Amino acid sequence: MRRTLIAGNWKMNGGFSANRSLLSEIKAGLPASLQCDVLVCPPAPYLAQAADLLGTTVVAWGGQDVSVHAQGAFTGEVSAAMLADCGCKYAIVGHSERRAYHGESSEQVAQKAVQLLKAGLIPVVCVGETLEQRESGQTNEVVAGQLNAVLDLLEVSAVAGIVVAYEPVWAIGTGKTATPQMAQDVHHFLRQQISLKSADMAEKVQILYGGSMKPENARELLAMPDIDGGLIGGAALKSQDFLAIVAAS
Ligand code: 13P
């Protein structure tokens, strides 16, 4: 049975004081017998703060991106080893905002995932189609291409060491959510793609949904058989909303 993972992607939001409040509210509000895994991904400058505030709790923290390089003269980049040094357990790669605004290719995303795995971190590999791609019937082709770029670089045994996040671009930050069935169909397709590599691994990989997930729609989405959690943007910045999604899992 796959565990549910509820992950918050804070994107470029926060500050020392706001983070302290948000994390202390999340810590205080989590149930004693937590049934799911919980992750927060603050901006890189705040990972050490997250480590300080979350170190002894069940809440994991992670990065929002990582360099394709291991180290060296790459100004502004953050390596997988640095994320590991900050105690990160996970890092997001291939978020559509990075693909769209920073021109990241699926090949680069795959190299980033490999860097993370080498450093002992779990990559959260984001895939998702634009509205135009969905309307022209290309959803499966697009997400398969994005996922397979990563799978192609992995040994079979490493496949269960990744998390996949399906985030339809048209649902991110727009208030439009994929219906549970629309999301389930793509999640099922993604799991089938993984099973072409290994049926056993496909059963183990957590596939998260992201795109305007909120307390009002989380329960229905998370009830779908191939939806194993959420990657939450806006609602992860409000402790009550994030806690309500955790409670819905
Ligand atoms: P929203 O929840 O704000 O739509 O963002 C989703 C997302 O991009 C998470 O990575």
Side-chain angles (χ1 to χ4, degrees):
M1 196 53 199
R2 294 179 296 271
R3 261 178 88 79
T4 299
L5 171 62
I6 302 297
N9 174 10
W10 291 7
K11 309 192 180 184
M12 201 171 72
N13 294 292
F16 281 119
S17 161
N19 302 347
R20 193 170 303 108
S21 306
L22 179 55
L23 291 176
S24 61
E25 286 162 22
I26 290 173
K27 282 195 288 187
L30 285 174
S33 60
L34 190 60
Q35 297 301 316
C36 65
D37 295 331
V38 178
L39 165 67
V40 292
C41 298
Y46 302 116
L47 289 170
Q49 183 194 24
D52 252 8
L53 297 174
L54 299 174
T56 56
T57 72
V58 292
V59 182
W61 58 97
Q64 297 179 8
D65 184 31
V66 69
S67 177
V68 294
H69 304 288
Q71 63 162 49
F74 301 102
T75 302
E77 294 281 89
V78 173
S79 72
M82 291 170 188
L83 295 178
D85 236 3
C86 290
C88 293
K89 185 168 174 190
Y90 299 82
I92 298 166
V93 291
H95 192 282
S96 61
E97 288 152 15
R98 296 217 55 90
R99 292 180 193 261
Y101 309 146
H102 302 271
E104 284 188 16
S105 67
S106 292
E107 289 65 36
Q108 285 169 315
V109 172
Q111 287 166 19
K112 290 179 175 203
V114 168
Q115 288 290 340
L116 291 170
L117 288 165
K118 276 195 206 155
L121 273 78
I122 302 169
V124 179
V125 178
C126 300
V127 301
E129 82 288 2
T130 62
L131 187 58
E132 198 184 12
Q133 288 165 335
R134 171 162 285 267
E135 286 176 345
S136 59
Q138 290 175 279
T139 298
N140 286 359
E141 187 189 325
V142 168
V143 297
Q146 292 169 335
L147 176 64
N148 287 328
V150 176
L151 295 181
D152 286 349
L153 295 191
L154 304 185
E155 300 285 333
V156 169
S157 60
V159 174
I162 70 167
V163 170
V164 176
Y166 170 56
E167 297 207 309
V169 177
W170 48 271
I172 295 176
T174 57
K176 287 188 203 152
T177 322
T179 64
Q181 192 56 52
M182 276 161 91
Q184 164 60 26
D185 289 347
V186 180
H187 282 231
H188 180 69
F189 172 76
L190 289 167
R191 203 176 302 285
Q192 274 180 332
Q193 289 293 302
I194 302 169
S195 75
L196 299 177
K197 184 127 182 164
S198 159
D200 179 40
M201 294 291 156
E203 282 310 305
K204 294 189 174 134
V205 172
Q206 290 165 311
I207 307 181
L208 315 183
Y209 170 79
S212 300
M213 192 186 262
K214 37 188 183 268
E216 302 82 66
N217 58 28
R219 193 174 297 277
E220 262 193 311
L221 285 159
L222 295 169
M224 302 311 281
D226 288 295
I227 301 185
D228 307 313
L231 183 56
I232 297 127
L237 298 171
K238 296 181 202 135
S239 59
Q240 290 315 314
D241 285 0
F242 190 64
L243 288 166
I245 295 172
V246 169
S249 69

